[in-house]
Amino acid sequence: MKDKTILITGGTGSFGKKFTENIINKYKSCKVIIFSRDELKQFDMENHFQSPKVKYIIGDVRDKDRVNQAMRNVDIVIHAAALKQVPATEFNPSECLKTNIRGAENIIDAAINNKVQKVIALSTDKAGNPINLYGASKLVSDKLFIAANYIDKKSKTKFSVVRYGNVVGSRGSVVPFFNELINNKSKFLPVTDERMTRFWITLQEGVDFVLRNFKRMRGGEIFVPKIPSVKIIDLARAMAPKLKIKIIGIRPGEKINETMCPPEISHLTLEFKDHFVICPSLDSEESSIYIINNIGEKGKKVKYGFEYSSESNPVFLSKKEILKYNINFD
């Protein structure tokens, strides 16, 4: 990251704020550009950081010309902008497609045009085996970013994807939702299904994983971290042990469990010490180049039919372990 200019789309979100904080504190020679469409959130973020190293650009990833302007003289791009709320995308499908798919295409074109060095797109566990529009749109986005490595053989821009699960405490996630109910003296916590499981990762862990993958990436990989799972009902009981649990049924497009490495592509999946890599399917002869990444870590092929899901994950957090995260549970 030394001496780099980094553009973060959707940069006023939870990830963008934490990533910017890390860059300001760790990499003194870096510049960060926050690209987003909400002027109030940019104003609040600018007041919070008060750093001359951070620049703010109003724009929408749907606007190809504006994206191209924002990416001038940029070395590294993190694409975090997306419509992410599952029920909202189910009821507003055309808006979801404009942002999550057309926006991805605009990022790719602008990165190649401006000779950006590396691009990492943030994905979601819902893209693994999608049943909702959000997951399906992010799967298409993932495919676009992987295929971008093959668009122009003369281009030196490399594209990869980072896929992980629910970020603990991020805006719109279950922890702040439960916290709000607890603080408002709710008589119960709503859980959609007592069997529901989710992957669990903190914002800092997500930022660290993305930073490491900029060093690891060759271009074309989907990086998946090894992280624990939680049962949502255990989370609710850990946060408010005295409150009743009310089972309310799953919302439109919601899944009981999430999958990050589907069994159907186990032949493309490599296992490393702390993560998995899904190799591109476009050129199977090149898969061997991903066995050893750019920092010398060596992976191995997983067994045929291997699946990495929040239900079959060998690591689950207990209620005591959940409480150790201390994310405003009282």
Side-chain angles (χ1 to χ4, degrees):
M1 293 293 165
K2 185 179 180 182
D3 300 323
K4 302 297 184 184
T5 298
I6 306 162
L7 175 77
I8 310 174
T9 69
T12 57
S14 301
F15 177 90
K17 289 179 181 177
K18 179 60 73 171
F19 189 91
T20 300
E21 177 186 296
N22 276 254
I23 293 299
I24 289 174
N25 293 334
K26 295 179 181 179
Y27 302 97
K28 305 301 181 183
S29 60
C30 280
K31 296 179 181 178
V32 178
I33 299 173
I34 302 298
F35 182 84
S36 70
R37 61 185 183 181
D38 192 318
E39 60 180 333
L40 178 58
K41 291 176 183 175
Q42 288 195 6
F43 176 77
D44 291 340
M45 188 170 174
E46 187 172 10
N47 284 338
H48 174 75
F49 287 113
Q50 296 185 352
S51 172
K53 295 192 296 182
V54 185
K55 179 182 177 181
Y56 300 85
I57 296 179
I58 296 287
D60 196 315
V61 294
R62 301 180 183 190
D63 185 339
K64 186 174 182 177
D65 291 337
R66 188 58 170 160
V67 172
N68 196 59
Q69 289 175 350
M71 223 173 279
R72 290 173 183 167
N73 301 314
V74 166
D75 302 301
I76 290 172
V77 172
I78 300 172
H79 179 48
L83 292 184
K84 302 174 183 178
Q85 292 295 321
V86 170
T89 55
E90 292 294 297
F91 286 109
N92 301 277
S94 61
E95 295 303 302
C96 174
L97 300 183
K98 290 174 188 175
T99 297
N100 294 0
I101 296 178
R102 179 61 65 187
E105 291 180 318
N106 291 340
I107 294 296
I108 291 166
D109 290 343
I112 293 174
N113 290 340
N114 286 281
K115 296 180 172 58
V116 170
Q117 295 172 13
K118 294 183 179 182
V119 179
I120 283 185
L122 301 189
S123 187
T124 169
D125 50 9
K126 293 172 178 60
N129 265 332
I131 67 162
N132 52 57
L133 186 62
Y134 170 51
S137 68
K138 291 302 287 185
L139 176 60
V140 173
S141 173
D142 293 354
K143 296 287 188 180
L144 288 169
F145 279 102
I146 299 310
N149 292 281
Y150 300 86
I151 290 175
D152 184 355
K153 291 185 177 180
K154 294 181 181 179
S155 172
K156 294 183 179 180
T157 305
K158 300 298 181 185
F159 299 86
S160 293
V161 173
V162 165
R163 176 185 292 174
Y164 52 63
N166 290 22
V167 178
V168 183
S170 63
R171 190 175 60 219
S173 65
V174 67
V175 169
F177 173 64
F178 281 171
N179 268 329
E180 184 178 2
L181 292 175
I182 294 167
N183 293 334
N184 290 333
K185 309 300 181 184
S186 175
K187 295 181 179 179
F188 65 89
L189 289 184
V191 173
T192 52
D193 192 290
E194 62 184 6
R195 300 166 295 170
M196 184 167 286
T197 64
R198 289 294 183 267
F199 287 105
W200 179 278
I201 189 171
T202 67
L203 267 175
Q204 187 58 56
E205 289 168 341
V207 168
D208 290 340
F209 189 61
V210 170
L211 283 170
R212 285 196 298 272
N213 291 328
F214 272 117
K215 296 179 181 179
R216 289 168 169 153
M217 65 182 282
R218 293 183 180 277
E221 310 97 322
I222 298 177
F223 293 98
V224 176
K226 291 183 179 179
I227 52 179
S229 291
V230 295
K231 294 180 179 179
I232 300 302
I233 199 165
D234 286 345
L235 174 63
R237 287 169 176 161
M239 293 180 67
K242 296 180 180 179
L243 280 185
K244 292 182 179 180
I245 304 295
K246 184 177 181 180
I247 305 300
I248 61 172
I250 60 175
R251 300 175 298 170
E254 196 169 35
K255 295 174 74 173
I256 301 297
N257 307 295
E258 300 289 3
T259 301
M260 288 206 279
C261 298
E264 293 82 2
I265 54 173
S266 59
H267 61 292
L268 298 173
T269 304
L270 302 174
E271 181 177 8
F272 290 77
K273 182 179 179 180
D274 65 350
H275 68 286
F276 298 97
V277 165
I278 300 174
C279 303
S281 61
L282 297 174
D283 190 347
S284 58
E285 293 182 1
E286 287 190 359
S287 295
S288 60
I289 71 170
Y290 299 102
I291 290 284
I292 299 177
N293 62 30
N294 271 347
I295 58 175
E297 296 171 329
K298 188 173 182 179
K300 62 180 181 180
K301 292 185 177 181
V302 300
K303 293 182 179 179
Y304 179 77
F306 169 81
E307 179 182 30
Y308 186 46
S309 78
S310 62
E311 180 186 25
S312 60
N313 190 356
V315 182
F316 266 82
L317 295 180
S318 67
K319 284 180 280 187
K320 287 184 178 180
E321 289 171 324
I322 291 170
L323 287 171
K324 289 181 181 178
Y325 283 81
N326 192 30
I327 307 172
N328 299 318
F329 285 166
D330 47 74

